[in-house]
Amino acid sequence: MEILKKIEDDLPSLSRQERKVALEIIQNPQKVQTMNITTLAKKVSVSNATITRFVKKMGCRDFYDLKLKLASNGPVQTKEISKGSIADEVFSFYKNVLGDTADRINLDELKEIVKVISNCRRIYVFGIGSSGYTAQEMAQRLIRMGIAAYPMTESHIMYITSGIINKDDVILALSTSGSTTDLNKAAALAQQSGVKVIGITGVEKSRLYELADYPVLVKNSEFIDNTHFINSQFAITYVLDIITTLLLENDTYQERLSHTVEIVMDNKFRNNN
């Protein structure tokens, strides 16, 4: 059995500390090949003895043997998608959306947004419908980094929030069309209290783009020949992934995220045992 496959299969049976080692190897197998045991231990905050125990559980003689087996796996091969298939059609759609969004975004502007989020007291993530699910996901990410984040997915709650919000708070508003009336009204109401609004939308001449203090334009999937039910949030999620990654350049956020992920995984695997 390939070593990475074995590590993935055995993950639920590992101890909390051993899972930290396993995840690092699964996520960065090529980097681990260049490390010695002490470097890896320091990277994932475990002892050398923990790595030694983990290596034995994987059926390897020592850490060097583990690295040899990682090298023998070779690079991860991307499965080829047959041309003209449904899978190829969806892949092409996503590629177009992703490419066009990448052309629109400005990394310096996203870095400025990251500063705003980092310095705010609270961040309220607005989204209705499909954007509401994305808002909930983004708020959960921020919470795991120790940022006070609250998803707002219902118009009445948005109005209430905008009426009591503080000038040190921030609104992150998500809307593919940019014309969600209740969301825009709530965001505009909050601005009257000095609140900054970050708006991510797929339409430049939309109300959200115009009112946002920090507007971000993504590719609107409806502008591509798409007559099927395909994820309309893909472009917004791409931008949120970039913002998340930039936030995680902050050591404090990275440490908090690692800690919360560790707790969640420990609880998950404990309940499955």
Side-chain angles (χ1 to χ4, degrees):
M1 179 187 293
E2 293 184 351
I3 189 64
L4 286 177
K5 177 67 164 53
K6 178 171 176 54
I7 294 173
E8 291 177 7
D9 290 345
D10 290 355
L11 193 65
S13 66
L14 299 175
S15 70
R16 182 176 179 177
Q17 294 294 84
E18 290 167 348
R19 281 199 296 272
K20 292 164 68 174
V21 179
L23 286 173
E24 181 66 25
I25 294 172
I26 291 169
Q27 294 168 0
N28 301 293
Q30 292 180 317
K31 286 185 178 179
V32 171
Q33 290 176 46
T34 67
M35 298 178 181
N36 59 39
I37 190 170
T38 302
T39 303
L40 178 58
K42 184 177 180 180
K43 176 71 168 55
V44 297
S45 301
V46 301
S47 66
N48 287 21
T50 296
I51 296 179
T52 300
R53 285 195 301 271
F54 167 79
V55 166
K56 297 294 184 181
K57 287 185 178 181
M58 294 304 107
C60 301
R61 291 188 305 276
D62 50 31
F63 185 61
Y64 181 71
D65 186 34
L66 175 70
K67 294 202 296 181
L68 286 178
K69 289 182 178 179
L70 284 174
S72 68
N73 274 341
V76 177
Q77 298 295 323
T78 302
K79 184 178 180 181
E80 185 175 346
I81 301 174
S82 58
K83 299 297 182 182
S85 65
I86 294 296
D88 177 54
E89 180 182 338
V90 174
F91 177 75
S92 296
F93 170 80
Y94 280 153
K95 186 167 65 174
N96 288 338
V97 171
L98 197 63
D100 287 349
T101 299
D103 290 339
R104 285 167 165 75
I105 60 177
N106 182 309
L107 190 58
D108 289 334
E109 291 177 355
L110 294 185
K111 288 181 178 179
E112 187 62 29
I113 287 172
V114 166
K115 289 181 182 178
V116 171
I117 295 173
S118 298
N119 294 324
C120 73
R121 186 183 69 148
R122 297 189 182 99
I123 179 167
Y124 296 89
V125 191
F126 284 11
I128 294 177
S130 296
S131 295
Y133 294 111
T134 307
Q136 290 176 327
E137 164 65 22
M138 184 58 181
Q140 186 178 86
R141 293 186 190 185
L142 295 172
I143 290 169
R144 289 187 174 191
M145 284 185 267
I147 297 172
Y150 304 87
M152 300 287 144
T153 60
E154 195 275 322
S155 58
H156 185 63
I157 300 300
M158 287 181 189
Y159 282 122
I160 293 174
T161 300
S162 296
I164 62 174
I165 202 166
N166 186 285
K167 64 180 178 61
D168 295 322
D169 299 330
V170 169
I171 288 175
L172 171 58
L174 313 177
S175 174
T176 301
S177 68
S179 59
T180 307
T181 303
D182 288 335
L183 181 148
N184 291 336
K185 285 184 177 180
L189 176 62
Q191 283 181 317
Q192 294 177 17
S193 300
V195 173
K196 298 299 183 183
V197 175
I198 303 164
I200 304 180
T201 180
V203 181
E204 187 169 7
K205 294 183 179 180
S206 65
R207 176 61 180 145
L208 178 58
Y209 191 87
E210 291 172 351
L211 73 83
D213 299 286
Y214 301 92
V216 179
L217 184 66
V218 302
K219 181 66 175 182
N220 190 328
S221 60
E222 294 178 0
F223 296 163
I224 295 179
D225 183 17
N226 169 36
T227 57
H228 299 85
F229 190 78
I230 302 179
N231 188 356
S232 62
Q233 296 294 303
F234 188 65
I236 291 178
T237 300
Y238 170 55
V239 171
L240 294 178
D241 284 346
I242 297 174
I243 291 173
T244 302
T245 304
L246 289 170
L247 282 166
L248 288 173
E249 290 184 346
N250 181 303
D251 290 340
T252 299
Y253 292 155
Q254 180 65 63
E255 289 172 8
R256 289 172 180 169
L257 178 65
S258 298
H259 180 62
T260 54
V261 168
E262 185 180 332
I263 291 173
V264 169
M265 289 192 64
D266 188 48
N267 182 63
K268 182 188 300 182
F269 289 121
R270 185 186 297 118
N271 290 338
N272 289 337
N273 289 336

